[in-house]
Amino acid sequence: MKRSGNPGAEATNSSVAGPDCCGGLGNIDFRQADFCVMTRLLGYVDPLDPSFVAAVVTITFNPLYWNVVARWEHKTRKLSRAFGSPYLACYSLSVTILLLNFLRSHCFTQAMLSQPRMESLDTPAAYSLGLTLLGLGVVLVLSSFFALGFTGTFLGDYFGILKEARVTVFPFNILDNPMYWGSTANYLGWAIISPAPAGAVGSEARQPHGPAPDGAGGPHLHSGPPIRRALHR
């Protein structure tokens, strides 16, 4: 017999517990999965190309950097004390984030230029789709930046710089993470215009963490202080 986490729940027998939805992952036969599309895309990616490696490193390092620094500052306030002001400390961190963004965008561009190109994407329709995604991404990123403000975008709440009320204006009234989605749309549109499938891989890899590719938007951390998650909904 085992008891659920709810103190008022009745004890239930584990042997009669309901089955997982769809039988659970254990019932999936991965041998029947069709990986031909993924295999075809990976055929256009050269993982040993130095520019591709550099792009992957910057895409991975950047969010790790500002996650670690922001959480360290939130716990210790050492940056605020070192700069004599939480605003100066926040501005200093934002400068390093912007520089890393420019480096990441440069590495991404070089990877697009050096990777194999997919002829099926080299069409007017694909080019128009890429431009549409870029336009949508720019709108989401810039509108998020103006809604949050400079310190709100660049982790000001981790420095104790809080907003007076929750941000509910566009685009936060239609999306939970508009800067994430805008940044992903920018990189995906960029990759389609190239057209290099390696860019699509990079854009999907970076979506859960980073700031905007044009350097205007800032990072939006996961599992941050409750005030940040409330303000950005």
Side-chain angles (χ1 to χ4, degrees):
M1 303 288 286
K2 69 177 182 179
R3 187 174 297 274
S4 66
N6 185 351
E10 296 182 359
T12 59
N13 193 312
S14 60
S15 63
V16 296
D20 294 335
C21 175
C22 305
L25 294 177
N27 290 340
I28 298 178
D29 187 359
F30 290 98
R31 294 173 299 179
Q32 299 182 9
D34 186 1
F35 296 102
C36 62
V37 175
M38 182 59 66
T39 302
R40 182 185 176 191
L41 287 177
L42 292 178
Y44 287 91
V45 178
D46 181 9
L48 299 181
D49 177 44
S51 60
F52 180 81
V53 174
V56 171
V57 169
T58 54
I59 289 171
T60 304
F61 172 78
N62 288 11
L64 178 63
Y65 164 75
W66 61 66
N67 269 274
V68 171
V69 173
R71 284 172 170 79
W72 175 70
E73 164 65 15
H74 181 69
K75 292 180 180 179
T76 66
R77 300 299 186 203
K78 288 188 176 181
L79 283 178
S80 296
R81 288 196 292 267
F83 285 93
S85 166
Y87 285 90
L88 288 178
C90 181
Y91 296 151
S92 299
L93 177 61
S94 68
V95 170
T96 64
I97 291 175
L98 288 172
L99 291 176
L100 287 173
N101 283 353
F102 292 138
L103 176 61
R104 180 184 62 197
S105 296
H106 172 73
C107 293
F108 187 88
T109 302
Q110 294 304 310
M112 294 302 94
L113 295 175
S114 64
Q115 289 291 302
R117 298 171 67 86
M118 181 178 287
E119 292 77 9
S120 58
L121 290 178
D122 196 7
T123 63
Y127 189 81
S128 299
L129 175 60
L131 286 180
T132 301
L133 289 172
L134 280 174
L136 176 62
V138 169
V139 169
L140 290 175
V141 167
L142 291 181
S143 59
S144 299
F145 176 76
F146 289 125
L148 294 173
F150 190 90
T151 56
T153 299
F154 289 99
L155 310 170
D157 53 330
Y158 284 82
F159 292 83
I161 307 172
L162 305 178
K163 289 186 172 295
E164 297 180 355
R166 183 174 61 181
V167 177
T168 58
V169 298
F170 179 85
F172 291 94
N173 58 348
I174 61 173
L175 291 172
D176 286 336
N177 301 288
M179 196 167 287
Y180 277 173
W181 289 110
S183 181
T184 300
N186 280 340
Y187 273 86
L188 186 57
W190 198 347
I192 293 176
I193 290 176
S194 294
V201 175
S203 66
E204 292 301 319
R206 71 168 303 283
Q207 188 271 337
H209 297 287
D214 58 3
H220 181 77
L221 301 184
H222 290 290
S223 305
I227 185 67
R228 184 174 187 85
R229 299 183 65 82
L231 290 178
H232 288 193
R233 288 175 184 170

